[in-house]
Amino acid sequence: MKKTLLKFITFILAIVMTASMAACDLVTVDHDKVNEQVIATVKVYDGAPEEKITNQQLLNLFYTYAPTYVYYYGYTMEEAADAILETMIQSKVYAQNAMNYFNSLGADYKDLNASITDVWNVDRYLTADEIVEAEYTITKSVNDSIDSFLEEDETSTEEESFKPTVRTAPTGATVYAHELTVGEMAAYVEKGVQTGSYAQGSEDSTTERRNAYYKLLKSMEISGYIDANFNWATDSVLDTDYFKQSLKEQKVELLITKYDAYLAYDYYKTVSFDAIAADYAKMYADQANADTTDSSYYEALSAATAAKPVVYNPFTGYSYVYNLLLGLDNVQSAKIAEIKADYEDVTNAMTEADYRAQRNAVLNNTYVKDLRDTWITAGYDFDFATKKFLNDYALATDTLPFDGDVKWINEVEDGKTYVSELLTDEKGSYFKYKVSGETDYVEDYAPKYTAKANTKTFAQFIDIMDNYLYGATQTGSSTSIDGIPVYKLVNSSASVDEWDEKINELLFAYSTDPGSLNTYKGYAVSPKTENGTETYVDEFAAAARALMACGKSSYVIVGTDYGYHVIFFSEVVSATSYATLVDYLNAEEGSKNWANIYNDMLLAIRDGDVSEYEDSYLYTFQQVVTANSTTAKVTQIKMNDFYSAKDNSKISINEDRLANIFAE
């Protein structure tokens, strides 16, 4: 729905652009010749209606897109018009091909509305819900356009302020936007265009909104979208030919989107489970041929991703760990630099053990803060009451609350006190706001917060971390590993729910190591080499290797010149290879009939509901194998159909059209 709404914005912008640009130097328009003149027709199939494109329809898009074509890409006005017209023609061709395609499927097309017998009626191929969505998009866009005229008359009182760099967020995280249910969209459509008329029962029945509505009508009148017969007081703008055509175009957009999905599905079916299994086998063979040395294997582990894991494992002694770095402040950095200078001074008798002991004494004065305060001020999904992040920003079911003070600074605004209400739909949680004592939501209200993280001592932080992970403080042990002092080692095989997810919650909240965020499984760790060379500093490497002999819920804390590292167990890489896709899937997700699951998954992809499969490697790998080729294939099919229609005289263009749009 978001996609179609954005596309329709180009139509609504054309209203304003036509009125404002017609009088400028960009183009001079002869409106008397524009309105009804047909400049192109499309009729791909016998029996199909002849779809017409008028000069007026071309201008609807021209005023929006032509400046970009001309000023940024160097097109002439005529070239820009040609390019825009071709896009419009393609849409007509695709629509007729889509209707012919779905009609040929008959009962196999689950959304077919057989009660509509006209095979060229777009409604025949849309669900009732999709039709409501199209109506909602048009109505919402008109109301948004009225809002834009309202905003022109308002003077912004916002002051510029310093905006700090926002903390790195989880890969792909976006602020959740509730998509209206069909019932909510239908109710919005029923309410209609909010013109500011008291008769409509609008809560915004104001003179200002009425004036904004009249500005929209005036722009439409100047642009030739309404005529003298339109009654400004009683007629609905949605009943104009312009918006009737716009509604049809919205339905066509929905139809073409479904058509693309079905064409993609047709292609997916040609890429069988055996075919992607063959791609997997090639990936395995490539790894087997490349990862023949310890160094190449270590590099492969370090570069592994969820989409391309390491499946050829010829060596032992490798693992992954998570690194939560509590970095140094300026005072600590200066003090450690002094200690290090003394240690490196050959005239001093300071031993390495002495240096580490003195450095760790400085590290014990580390102070820790929750670094997610900028997530809150940036407007990321956040529950003010519980101080917990939501949706994409919550990595574990048991989300780690923000450790700090949060203030809702515009809870009272313009003399009104706002209250929040947490709502949940099938995809996520979101807030809506009301004025205290009122029942209707205020759609354009946006809360603003300030956030200040609490300062914790190092010991307090460890206590918070232990209680979050284990539900109680862990005693652990202070020991040494290869002569390196360890602040604390917790060797635990306890079953900790969502261990990896909770570790990532802690990393995003506290780690000052940017490289520790958004990793596959953390940092790869290799066995100790004979020549003694290390990828990491000695203290980190020794502590990370020690975790390999510990339980699956273990961590170790060790100091380095960078600060204290809380190193968590992630995974010991088994020297087990998975030569086939089935072997790997069985190991990761249990033994199943993967070929059948694959076919069911393709149907789910076609229908736009992959929630059951998106966490499976089968889905991930299928997308890796087919993503680029699918897009290319669908585009090729549609373009071939377009050129076929063009070559077979199914498209007619009046080559003199520009003379009727642009004045000489």
Side-chain angles (χ1 to χ4, degrees):
M1 193 270 287
K2 294 178 186 175
K3 184 177 180 181
T4 55
L5 180 58
L6 287 173
K7 287 187 177 181
F8 180 68
I9 288 174
T10 62
F11 287 93
I12 203 72
L13 283 175
I15 295 173
V16 181
M17 295 294 288
T18 304
S20 61
M21 293 177 63
C24 77
D25 293 335
L26 178 65
V27 61
T28 302
V29 179
D30 184 348
H31 286 290
D32 292 337
K33 296 181 179 180
V34 162
N35 291 339
E36 300 299 331
Q37 188 175 37
V38 175
I39 55 174
T41 61
V42 176
K43 184 177 180 179
V44 181
Y45 298 94
D46 293 338
E50 184 178 70
E51 295 286 349
K52 299 176 181 179
I53 298 174
T54 66
N55 282 340
Q56 181 77 74
Q57 291 167 347
L58 174 59
L59 284 175
N60 291 347
L61 293 181
F62 180 84
Y63 285 118
T64 300
Y65 291 117
T68 299
Y69 279 102
V70 173
Y71 296 132
Y72 289 97
Y73 301 116
Y75 282 51
T76 66
M77 298 298 258
E78 288 78 4
E79 289 170 340
D82 281 337
I84 294 167
L85 178 60
E86 182 166 290
T87 299
M88 297 175 72
I89 292 171
Q90 287 174 352
S91 180
K92 302 289 187 186
V93 172
Y94 298 158
Q96 289 197 5
N97 281 331
M99 286 184 273
N100 180 69
Y101 174 90
F102 288 129
N103 189 62
S104 68
L105 293 179
D108 290 335
Y109 177 57
K110 63 183 181 62
D111 293 338
L112 184 70
N113 185 349
S115 65
I116 300 176
T117 57
D118 181 0
V119 298
W120 303 109
N121 183 338
V122 66
D123 288 5
R124 174 177 166 87
Y125 308 101
L126 299 178
T127 65
D129 291 354
E130 289 167 334
I131 292 173
V132 169
E133 179 181 330
E135 293 170 342
Y136 166 80
T137 300
I138 299 298
T139 308
K140 179 70 164 59
S141 297
V142 175
N143 283 329
D144 286 349
S145 184
I146 297 172
D147 290 341
S148 70
F149 281 107
L150 268 175
E151 291 165 3
E152 285 182 0
D153 298 330
E154 297 175 354
T155 302
S156 174
T157 58
E158 294 183 6
E159 298 180 359
E160 292 187 5
S161 59
F162 170 73
K163 295 183 178 180
T165 301
V166 179
R167 169 76 164 168
T168 300
T171 300
T174 56
V175 175
Y176 182 69
H178 167 63
E179 293 192 12
L180 299 184
T181 65
V182 174
E184 289 170 329
M185 286 191 286
Y188 187 95
V189 171
E190 181 66 25
K191 195 173 182 180
V193 175
Q194 298 305 294
T195 64
S197 168
Y198 287 97
Q200 287 185 303
S202 168
E203 64 184 59
D204 191 11
S205 300
T206 64
T207 301
E208 289 80 6
R209 188 167 188 85
R210 190 68 175 171
N211 289 340
Y213 175 61
Y214 285 149
K215 287 183 178 180
L216 172 62
L217 294 181
K218 187 64 177 177
S219 294
M220 293 182 67
E221 182 182 54
I222 293 172
S223 305
Y225 298 132
I226 58 176
D227 56 31
N229 295 323
F230 182 84
N231 188 315
W232 287 31
T234 60
D235 289 350
S236 170
V237 69
L238 295 177
D239 290 333
T240 61
D241 289 342
Y242 175 82
F243 283 108
K244 287 179 180 178
Q245 178 64 25
S246 297
L247 177 59
K248 180 180 178 181
E249 295 298 333
Q250 281 301 293
K251 293 177 180 179
V252 167
E253 287 290 346
L254 291 171
L255 179 69
I256 292 174
T257 298
K258 294 174 77 169
Y259 182 47
D260 288 350
Y262 272 73
L263 291 179
Y265 174 67
D266 288 343
Y267 172 67
Y268 287 154
K269 289 188 295 185
T270 68
V271 185
S272 65
F273 179 78
D274 289 342
I276 69 162
D279 276 276
Y280 176 94
K282 182 180 183 304
M283 179 179 75
Y284 177 86
D286 289 343
Q287 291 183 13
N289 291 329
D291 303 339
T292 57
T293 65
D294 285 282
S295 60
S296 62
Y297 180 63
Y298 173 76
E299 290 174 3
L301 289 176
S302 298
T305 64
K308 191 174 180 180
V310 173
V311 295
Y312 175 71
N313 297 293
F315 302 107
T316 60
Y318 289 82
S319 64
Y320 285 102
V321 297
Y322 296 110
N323 173 46
L324 193 163
L325 174 63
L326 301 174
L328 308 173
D329 61 25
N330 292 335
V331 173
Q332 288 175 307
S333 294
K335 184 61 178 176
I336 290 175
E338 290 178 11
I339 298 170
K340 191 169 187 177
D342 288 342
Y343 169 60
E344 293 174 343
D345 186 344
V346 295
T347 65
N348 291 330
M350 184 184 294
T351 65
E352 186 173 45
D354 291 335
Y355 168 67
R356 286 171 173 161
Q358 291 186 37
R359 181 188 62 195
N360 286 357
V362 175
L363 296 182
N364 288 341
N365 292 318
T366 295
Y367 291 93
V368 183
K369 288 185 177 182
D370 192 323
L371 302 174
R372 298 173 295 172
D373 53 340
T374 54
W375 286 10
I376 299 170
T377 55
Y380 293 174
D381 296 336
F382 180 72
D383 185 344
F384 176 73
T386 64
K387 295 186 180 179
K388 290 186 175 183
F389 292 93
L390 305 169
N391 305 319
D392 290 347
Y393 304 93
L395 303 175
T397 303
D398 181 13
T399 309
L400 181 69
F402 174 72
D403 184 9
D405 296 323
V406 182
K407 292 183 179 180
W408 183 1
I409 59 176
N410 65 335
E411 183 177 3
V412 178
E413 189 172 76
D414 297 330
K416 300 175 182 178
T417 300
Y418 288 87
V419 294
S420 63
E421 184 175 339
L422 179 62
L423 304 173
T424 301
D425 60 23
E426 61 183 10
K427 295 182 179 179
S429 299
Y430 60 101
F431 282 92
K432 301 197 80 169
Y433 298 86
K434 301 176 182 178
V435 174
S436 181
E438 298 184 5
T439 57
D440 292 335
Y441 295 117
V442 182
E443 299 297 339
D444 59 352
Y445 175 78
K448 299 176 183 178
Y449 299 106
T450 59
K452 183 179 181 181
N454 294 327
T455 300
K456 301 294 187 183
T457 65
F458 179 58
Q460 287 173 329
F461 165 73
I462 298 302
D463 191 55
I464 290 171
M465 183 184 74
D466 281 351
N467 278 277
Y468 178 58
L469 292 174
Y470 307 99
T473 301
Q474 303 297 294
T475 303
S477 62
S478 297
T479 183
S480 64
I481 301 171
D482 293 345
I484 296 169
V486 168
Y487 178 87
K488 184 178 181 181
L489 171 63
V490 173
N491 186 348
S492 173
S493 296
S495 178
V496 177
D497 291 338
E498 299 186 296
W499 171 261
D500 296 282
E501 291 81 359
K502 287 182 176 179
I503 298 305
N504 276 284
E505 287 270 350
L506 289 164
L507 293 176
F508 277 102
Y510 295 107
S511 182
T512 61
D513 171 18
S516 69
L517 308 179
N518 290 314
T519 65
Y520 172 44
K521 294 182 178 180
Y523 289 117
V525 180
S526 64
K528 192 169 185 178
T529 58
E530 293 182 3
N531 60 17
T533 58
E534 293 283 9
T535 302
Y536 309 111
V537 294
D538 291 344
E539 299 94 332
F540 183 93
R545 289 194 189 101
L547 280 180
M548 293 181 64
C550 296
K552 62 182 180 180
S553 304
S554 301
Y555 72 81
V556 60
I557 302 175
V558 66
T560 73
D561 289 351
Y562 301 102
Y564 265 133
H565 299 260
V566 186
I567 308 172
F568 300 96
F569 181 98
S570 175
E571 178 183 302
V572 172
V573 180
S574 170
T576 303
S577 297
Y578 307 97
T580 70
L581 177 59
V582 170
D583 288 342
Y584 185 73
L585 291 171
N586 286 343
E588 292 289 307
E589 304 173 43
S591 180
K592 301 175 184 177
N593 188 327
W594 292 107
N596 287 347
I597 291 174
Y598 179 78
N599 292 331
D600 293 340
M601 184 183 75
L602 295 185
L603 283 170
I605 295 172
R606 184 197 70 184
D607 296 336
D609 183 12
V610 296
S611 56
E612 182 181 347
Y613 304 97
E614 59 188 356
D615 292 332
S616 171
Y617 182 69
L618 180 64
Y619 173 74
T620 300
F621 193 67
Q622 186 269 346
Q623 291 292 294
V624 169
V625 170
T626 62
N628 292 334
S629 56
T630 301
T631 301
K633 187 66 175 179
V634 170
T635 300
Q636 179 187 22
I637 291 171
K638 292 168 67 177
M639 291 305 297
N640 285 347
D641 289 343
F642 167 68
Y643 287 118
S644 175
K646 198 172 184 180
D647 293 342
N648 288 286
S649 302
K650 305 297 184 181
I651 299 168
S652 175
I653 300 175
N654 183 343
E655 298 296 344
D656 296 327
R657 66 196 180 285
L658 290 177
N660 295 323
I661 297 178
F662 305 106
E664 295 291 340

